[in-house]
Amino acid sequence: MRIAVTGRSGQVSRALQELAAMRTDIELVALGRPEMDLAEPATVYAAVEAVRPDLVISAAAYTAVDKAEDDEVSAWNVNAGGASHVAEAARAIGVPVIHLSTDYVFDGQADRPYLESDTPHPINAYGRTKLDGERAVAAAGRRHSVVRTSWVHSPFGPNFVLTMLRLAKTRPEISVVADQHGAPTAALDLADALLRMAPPLAARSDDAALTGIFHLTAAGSGSWAAVAEAVFDESRRLGGPVAVVRPIETKDYPTRARRPLNSRLGGTRLRNGYGIELSDWRVGIAATVRRILGDGALLP
Ligand SMILES: NC(=O)c1ccc[n+]([C@@H]2O[C@H](COP(=O)([O-])OP(=O)(O)OC[C@H]3O[C@@H](n4cnc5c(N)ncnc54)[C@H](OP(=O)(O)O)[C@@H]3O)[C@@H](O)[C@H]2O)c1
């Protein structure tokens, strides 16, 4: 099948490109700037129309969470406006969309993992624009899936794992927030799951069990400090950079945008609809550390 993915250099897009390159049954076409700009509707319609995919994965987004606080309009144009254009362009050629969204649509006040049926309540601009994106995709028809994920990491771009390893090269001790909890999710595991969702969704997009909102993260959860410990456990094993993790509270690490304290996403829709479950987050973290350490260019 032919799949179009929005974004070229993004973590999830690059993970999809890497996996698709190893398969003969999937042709993946990455649509990105400058030809396809989510803030320019005409370019989105033209790009999707030209590729004529069987399904679109909507992975591109304005992901600069702190910057979005000061430029919510730009973030909205991409995360909500862009999501709408992608979903409408897919509808125009009669194919479904898998649209990526985020744990940041929730306020983090719950004392349990969030379910797909829980009411979102974002506490920052990024979350608000992503929630509007989800609603725009839903408004474009019932044949689409919205996949919420969290704390994405990969060997492909700026992310927490890379930051920890880079900092550890020059710092003996790193302060890391210990009161935000979530599930770090490997972009490659996420991409693998998306490629497993694509064929049934393309074939049966009128099946209610395959459409709507899905929570897709690695299993289990930890704090950012626990994630940092896991990064350094694997790095130590491989002779890579290591630092002492000093746990701190969110209030001691002020950021422009507020983050939810509870980012845990639960629910059974993905397992019931698609039979997909990811492994424990520590497995994905160890794999990303191995890839980063194995690629000298990433950690000069
Ligand atoms: N990263 C996380 O921790 C996280 C957590 C939860 C959910 N998500 C969601 O998962 C999805 C994938 O995230 P990611 O980590 O792969 O993001 P990422 O690495 O930050 O990549 C974002 C991608 O979006 C593209 N993009 C941004 N503005 C665009 C525009 N105006 N027109 C076209 N493309 C544009 C970028 O294009 P260029 O290549 O041109 O820069 C880039 O390819 C996003 O929907 C994000 O909201 C991410």
Side-chain angles (χ1 to χ4, degrees):
M1 70 184 295
R2 182 183 295 173
I3 298 174
V5 58
T6 58
R8 282 211 185 92
S9 68
Q11 297 189 81
V12 174
S13 177
R14 286 192 57 191
L16 284 164
Q17 291 168 42
E18 182 171 296
L19 296 185
M22 294 187 281
R23 291 174 59 159
T24 52
D25 57 332
I26 288 175
E27 184 194 352
L28 189 97
V29 183
L31 310 175
R33 294 183 281 192
E35 301 82 38
M36 194 285 303
D37 187 328
L38 288 172
E40 303 286 341
T43 68
V44 179
Y45 286 94
V48 171
E49 166 74 22
V51 173
R52 287 252 149 210
D54 301 301
L55 178 139
V56 180
I57 298 179
S58 168
Y62 185 114
T63 54
V65 175
D66 291 309
K67 215 170 138 202
E69 290 299 305
D70 299 315
D71 194 4
E72 190 162 349
V73 171
S74 297
W76 193 94
N77 286 340
V78 174
N79 292 345
S84 171
H85 307 322
V86 171
E88 292 292 347
R91 185 169 73 164
I93 59 164
V95 302
V97 172
I98 301 177
H99 175 74
L100 286 173
S101 191
T102 171
D103 50 312
Y104 281 16
V105 297
F106 293 113
D107 60 18
Q109 293 298 312
D111 56 4
R112 56 163 176 78
Y114 284 95
L115 306 177
E116 286 98 348
S117 53
D118 283 330
T119 304
H121 180 237
I123 56 172
N124 58 38
Y126 169 75
R128 283 192 292 275
T129 62
K130 291 294 288 184
L131 179 59
D132 279 355
E134 291 188 359
R135 290 175 173 157
V137 171
R142 287 181 293 107
R143 301 181 58 197
H144 306 313
S145 299
V146 169
V147 170
R148 293 186 186 134
T149 191
S150 63
W151 297 16
V152 177
H153 59 89
S154 71
F156 304 124
N159 62 71
F160 182 82
V161 178
L162 200 53
T163 301
M164 287 298 113
L165 292 171
R166 282 189 178 150
L167 287 175
K169 291 191 80 171
T170 54
R171 293 192 202 171
E173 185 178 283
I174 304 172
S175 298
V176 187
V177 169
D179 58 355
Q180 291 173 28
H181 294 267
T185 302
L188 282 159
D189 293 341
L190 176 59
D192 181 63
L194 295 172
L195 293 182
R196 286 165 61 193
M197 292 175 73
L201 180 60
R204 293 184 283 122
S205 60
D206 52 354
D207 183 341
L210 302 183
T211 57
I213 295 172
F214 296 87
H215 287 175
L216 173 41
T217 69
S221 66
S223 67
W224 285 116
V227 179
E229 295 280 10
V231 167
F232 295 133
D233 284 349
E234 184 65 5
S235 185
R236 183 179 298 109
R237 206 179 65 74
L238 297 169
V242 171
V244 172
V245 176
R246 193 166 72 85
I248 59 169
E249 292 181 32
T250 299
K251 67 173 172 50
D252 299 321
Y253 186 75
T255 51
R256 187 77 187 86
R258 284 174 66 205
R259 264 78 171 165
L261 293 179
N262 174 17
S263 270
R264 293 176 295 152
L265 299 177
T268 54
R269 289 206 75 226
L270 194 72
R271 190 171 64 230
N272 293 344
Y274 288 96
I276 294 174
E277 274 181 294
L278 300 193
S279 49
D280 188 84
W281 63 267
R282 290 174 188 80
V283 177
I285 287 288
T288 295
V289 171
R290 283 196 296 277
R291 279 281 301 264
I292 292 173
L293 294 183
D295 184 340
L298 285 169
L299 214 58

